[in-house]
Amino acid sequence: MKKRQLGKTNIEISEVGLGTWQLSGDVWGKKTEAEYIQAIEAAIDADINYLDTALDYGNGYCEQVIGKALQGNSSVVISSKIPPQCDDWSPKPQSKIQDYFSSDWIVKCCDTTLKNLRRECIDILFLHTWNLAWGHCTEWYEAMLKLKELGKIRAIGISVGDRRAGEANSHIEAGRIDVVQVVYNILEQEPEYTLFPMAQKHQVGIIARCPFSSGALVSGWTHSQKFPQGDWRGLWTPDDWVARQVEMVDLIKPIVKDINLSMSEIGLKYILNNQTVTSVIPGSSSTEHIRRNASVARLSNLSEDILHKLQQLWLDGKIQGTYNGGA
């Protein structure tokens, strides 16, 4: 597995990581703890050295499973995310940052995450949502910087909202952020224009989440798609979400039909073609899917012609936007 350096930090992570929301035991359907641990072990066996999680995933359960599976294995890079204190994932312009990420809350959540993961230091700590209006605020950064000075975290990050890729750019420019996590995939190319140039200029790492648009790119959905009981995709999404996703994927298929790659491979290779991206984190609790995703790093890049055609679809507004159930 190839590794890329995370911005200006001395952290190197595998091009393909593992997103662990599906190991939370709640909104993706429940499996046994043994199955979740098998998924983590499959990732490590496939030379994935980067796991992304969040304190909110199963209310700490996902972090606890990772801690149990790794048993202090410090060679695996872990990132986690601090949830908003008020449990509002889409802050409005008038929202006050103190209600979401007070200094005391940041410290408390970090300590809980470290306990769950059975670690003394977490490699990357993100704030799990953000607000463009907080561009002038620095109290959150001072709290994170203190955690860094204490050796509790190695890198400071912000996870920006769906379709809000550039909302933390002011803090990138001010040198406060080491890494940004963002929705980036074939259907959502906005970060290439609103985030990546700033990240390149200031050597900020990029973690690409939701590479398959929550399954739409790879699962062969139809307009009558039904999801298992309790699955967030059947509960939280707009009424026309599935239909819109199917229509966009149908526009992509003719472009890639002659490529000897699966849709999951094409989706991941599109993302990794952009060298601004440090790692992409497809989520899965399936050992088969995890191994297949990891193997993509060894495949050749997509041709410039294919990349251009996929990018033109987005520029023409024919494929735009996704939703991953988050902020």
Side-chain angles (χ1 to χ4, degrees):
M1 172 79 72
K2 297 177 183 177
K3 294 182 174 61
R4 298 184 182 183
Q5 184 175 339
L6 185 72
K8 292 181 290 189
T9 75
N10 62 358
I11 301 171
E12 286 193 343
I13 56 179
S14 49
E15 288 185 336
V16 178
L18 176 64
T20 63
W21 190 18
Q22 293 190 28
L23 280 61
S24 61
D26 47 19
V27 293
W28 286 94
K30 191 172 181 60
K31 292 186 176 181
T32 66
E33 183 178 283
E35 288 175 302
Y36 293 145
I37 290 176
Q38 286 172 2
I40 294 168
E41 291 172 343
I44 295 170
D45 289 344
D47 207 23
I48 289 173
N49 83 328
Y50 172 47
L51 307 180
D52 175 72
T53 188
L55 182 55
D56 189 65
Y57 294 170
N59 194 27
Y61 175 73
C62 188
E63 290 181 337
Q64 292 166 12
V65 170
I66 292 171
K68 186 173 182 178
L70 296 183
Q71 294 290 339
N73 182 353
S74 60
S75 66
V76 178
V77 176
I78 302 178
S79 63
S80 192
K81 299 182 282 293
I82 295 173
Q85 190 169 357
C86 60
D87 200 34
D88 175 12
W89 296 88
S90 297
K92 296 177 176 60
Q94 67 269 29
S95 300
K96 298 182 184 301
I97 192 171
Q98 292 83 1
D99 296 331
Y100 290 76
F101 298 112
S102 67
S103 297
D104 288 346
W105 177 252
I106 289 171
V107 172
K108 179 181 178 181
C109 289
C110 178
D111 287 341
T112 301
T113 287
L114 290 172
K115 181 179 178 181
N116 287 341
L117 292 172
R118 306 184 187 187
R119 287 196 166 193
E120 295 182 357
C121 176
I122 184 166
D123 299 289
I124 309 164
L125 188 61
F126 293 98
L127 300 184
H128 205 155
T129 188
W130 195 247
N131 185 344
L132 181 63
W134 299 339
H136 66 290
C137 302
T138 59
E139 294 87 350
W140 68 273
Y141 170 69
E142 292 161 7
M144 297 278 266
L145 190 60
K146 183 65 174 178
L147 291 172
K148 202 173 186 180
E149 291 169 351
L150 291 171
K152 292 187 176 183
I153 66 176
R154 296 173 67 193
I156 297 170
I158 288 178
S159 179
V160 293
D162 295 2
R163 308 201 72 184
R164 307 201 307 264
E167 65 183 351
N169 279 0
S170 58
H171 290 293
I172 294 177
E173 193 164 27
R176 301 186 185 107
I177 302 176
D178 299 307
V179 55
V180 171
Q181 187 173 133
V182 63
V183 172
Y184 175 54
N185 56 48
I186 293 175
L187 300 182
E188 186 51 273
Q189 301 176 27
E190 181 196 330
E192 295 179 21
Y193 305 94
T194 61
L195 171 61
F196 291 179
M198 185 70 76
Q200 289 174 331
K201 180 179 178 181
H202 295 279
Q203 295 179 271
V204 166
I206 296 292
I207 306 300
R209 71 177 188 266
C210 198
F212 306 138
S213 195
S214 302
L217 277 169
V218 298
S219 300
W221 292 356
T222 66
H223 287 263
S224 59
Q225 177 68 33
K226 300 296 182 185
F227 299 101
Q229 185 175 3
D231 190 306
W232 70 267
R233 293 169 295 181
L235 298 172
W236 303 351
T237 54
D239 290 341
D240 64 345
W241 180 72
V242 168
R244 179 65 179 133
Q245 296 282 298
V246 170
E247 290 166 4
M248 291 191 291
V249 172
D250 283 347
L251 293 173
I252 293 168
K253 288 178 180 177
I255 294 174
V256 301
K257 64 182 177 63
D258 294 328
I259 303 176
N260 190 28
L261 296 174
S262 67
M263 285 295 285
S264 62
E265 290 168 337
I266 292 166
L268 293 175
K269 291 308 294 187
Y270 178 87
I271 294 166
L272 291 173
N273 180 79
N274 197 311
Q275 292 300 306
T276 307
V277 173
T278 313
S279 183
V280 57
I281 48 171
S284 183
S285 58
S286 162
T287 56
E288 177 188 350
H289 292 168
I290 291 168
R291 293 188 186 101
R292 187 169 65 223
N293 291 338
S295 69
V296 165
R298 298 192 295 268
L299 299 176
S300 299
N301 289 334
L302 301 178
S303 70
E304 289 298 321
D305 179 59
I306 294 297
L307 289 170
H308 174 74
K309 288 177 179 177
L310 293 173
Q311 289 164 343
Q312 196 60 49
L313 276 181
W314 189 86
L315 290 170
D316 291 342
K318 294 178 179 177
I319 55 169
Q320 269 196 349
T322 186
Y323 178 73
N324 80 324

